[in-house]
Amino acid sequence: MPLLATARSRAGATLLGVLTGAALGVAAPAAAQPAAADSVLVWYDATAAAIAAGGAPTQVTNNRTWAIAWLAAARAQAGTHSAAGRRAALAGAVHQTLTTLIPGQQSPADATLAAELAALPDRQEVRDSVTAGRAAARRVLTERSGDGLDPASVNIPFPVPAPAPGVWQPTPPQYAPATQYGNRAARPFVLRSAAQFRPPAPPAPGSARYEADLAEVAAYGSATSTVRTQAQTDTATFWLGSSLTLYTPILRAAVAQSHASIADRIRLVALFHVAAVDTQIATSDAKYAYQRWRPVTAIRAGGDTTWLPLHDTPAHPDYPSGHNTYSGSAEGVLTGLAGPRAREPYTISSPTAPGVTRTYTDWHRPSLENVDARVWSGIHTRNADLAGIRLGDDVARYVLGHAQAVLR
């Protein structure tokens, strides 16, 4: 896939050139600090567990929780002067956010806080840092109040347009109402507007590119495909789950392997999720601006009236692919802040492929697999996937380029 490879190569080079310690206002990576690193991972796991157990039904709302908690923790680092103070500020910020946004998870959050504070010296600086973290969280929560990322606002009803060639319609077998229509009206963290990086229009129905893309999905994405290999089916199934669920262990690997300071690791988590939120806002803007029909609708309209995809089609337009905008954003942030390759191989699992794991050595391979997976699932055209990667990359580069403003 030359186009994808070119896009990602450009992204890595650009981000590594733009994002330096000076640009972020942080010190150069220091030697590993086991106690501080453990604390970051403790709260990382606590955040992931709270969201998994009691988070919102909408992915972007859960990314928002991550972003608020860790952005507050990043801001609270400015007033701390010791490792103990930095850990305490992190604890105060994340605990305050989780108990505010996911009150049903108060007990495990309290237990994590108690264990963390028990490991810190009982002195005024630690108590003040916890207070500073809490105050930072309350300020970010106030800033983000009414941002349109609550589940009800995200899924406001979409008036389905009249059927026409190329225009989205509800898809079989559920024919469910469209979702994520309200994302496009939500307030980004960093982007100037949801449409700031809107991709160009998808290929017109009947064009050579359109026909080639549709033929590929019809052949390789069919539920009864005779050309899709078992390996391709396995890839499609592995990457079927939510992007947040699949990328949580990928980001964790980057955090765990980093030799940077506690403050830098916190910033990595914060900026990853800030970019993820803004990417999803931009994705819905593009999806509902173009309202491109899904492959199943197009293939059936072309005469194959019983065609079904390998996996059920999500209830929103084809272009661009949301899985791939998320992947492009994730790869962009990880490449910019952690380098293009992991320090050591990392392994992830998938909720849609129980018992299966995959091991990677960089942040690029998951993007490549995501592009193929959505075609082989029969739910996206390749052009929608590649446009998604580019859009996510654009948002990531912009967020990292404006990191100082959001981290203050």
Side-chain angles (χ1 to χ4, degrees):
M1 284 171 287
L3 179 59
L4 177 64
T6 299
R8 298 315 309 156
S9 175
R10 171 180 56 81
T14 302
L15 286 169
L16 286 171
V18 171
L19 260 289
T20 63
L24 282 174
V26 299
Q33 300 171 3
D38 287 346
S39 187
V40 173
L41 293 179
V42 163
W43 284 109
Y44 188 97
D45 293 342
T47 308
I51 288 173
T58 42
Q59 176 176 276
V60 70
T61 310
N62 293 323
N63 280 116
R64 174 186 185 268
T65 298
W66 274 99
I68 289 173
W70 289 77
L71 186 56
R75 291 178 179 179
Q77 297 298 304
T80 59
H81 306 287
S82 70
R86 289 190 288 272
R87 292 176 63 186
L90 167 63
V94 178
H95 180 270
Q96 182 70 42
T97 305
L98 294 181
T99 55
T100 301
L101 297 180
I102 316 177
Q105 296 302 300
Q106 173 97 38
S107 293
D110 286 350
T112 302
L113 179 65
E116 279 294 285
L117 294 183
L120 296 176
D122 183 16
R123 61 181 188 235
Q124 190 61 44
E125 180 202 11
V126 170
R127 292 188 289 275
D128 289 346
S129 294
V130 172
T131 300
R134 292 194 182 283
R138 285 192 289 268
R139 285 193 296 271
V140 180
L141 285 162
T142 299
E143 288 174 16
R144 298 304 303 176
S145 177
D147 60 10
L149 290 168
D150 58 285
S153 298
V154 166
N155 283 330
I156 61 173
F158 170 64
V160 178
V167 177
W168 183 85
Q169 297 291 304
T171 54
Q174 292 92 356
Y175 295 95
T179 61
Q180 301 174 14
Y181 180 52
N183 269 5
R184 78 203 198 292
R187 173 160 46 93
F189 276 84
V190 180
L191 293 182
R192 297 192 304 271
S193 74
Q196 184 174 344
F197 294 108
R198 184 184 294 174
S207 66
R209 178 59 190 270
Y210 172 89
E211 296 297 341
D213 276 355
L214 202 59
E216 181 185 25
V217 180
Y220 286 89
S222 169
T224 58
S225 175
T226 58
V227 296
R228 186 182 59 245
T229 66
Q230 186 60 52
Q232 291 169 335
T233 300
D234 292 345
T235 295
T237 302
F238 188 89
W239 287 100
L240 185 62
S242 86
S243 295
L244 172 59
T245 300
L246 287 160
Y247 268 93
T248 294
I250 295 178
L251 175 58
R252 190 188 192 281
V255 174
Q257 294 179 19
S258 174
H259 289 175
S261 68
I262 182 173
D264 287 352
R265 293 178 180 189
I266 292 168
R267 290 183 180 101
L268 170 58
V269 178
L271 292 172
F272 181 99
H273 287 284
V274 164
V277 170
D278 281 13
T279 293
Q280 289 170 83
I281 292 171
T283 299
S284 289
D285 166 78
K287 280 182 177 289
Y288 287 101
Y290 296 119
Q291 299 179 21
R292 173 52 58 90
W293 62 6
R294 287 282 186 161
V296 62
T297 308
I299 292 167
R300 287 183 167 212
D304 193 346
T305 58
T306 62
W307 190 93
L308 284 172
L310 172 64
H311 296 123
D312 288 352
T313 301
H316 41 74
D318 178 58
Y319 182 90
S321 159
H323 259 56
N324 282 286
T325 60
Y326 197 109
S327 189
S329 171
E331 183 184 346
V333 173
L334 291 170
T335 298
L337 298 183
R341 299 184 64 82
R343 289 181 176 272
E344 57 189 65
Y346 61 93
T347 299
I348 66 171
S349 59
S350 167
T352 52
V356 176
T357 61
R358 292 193 170 205
T359 298
Y360 302 95
T361 59
D362 60 20
W363 324 118
H364 181 50
R365 186 68 201 175
S367 296
L368 292 174
E369 291 188 7
N370 252 312
V371 169
D372 287 333
R374 305 310 267 180
V375 174
W376 297 336
S377 281
I379 57 183
H380 273 301
T381 57
R382 187 169 295 276
N383 185 264
D385 294 339
L386 295 175
I389 291 286
R390 288 191 293 268
L391 175 57
D393 170 43
D394 285 341
V395 174
R397 289 188 295 116
Y398 187 82
V399 166
L400 295 183
H402 293 76
Q404 281 183 306
V406 75
L407 290 169
R408 279 203 292 262

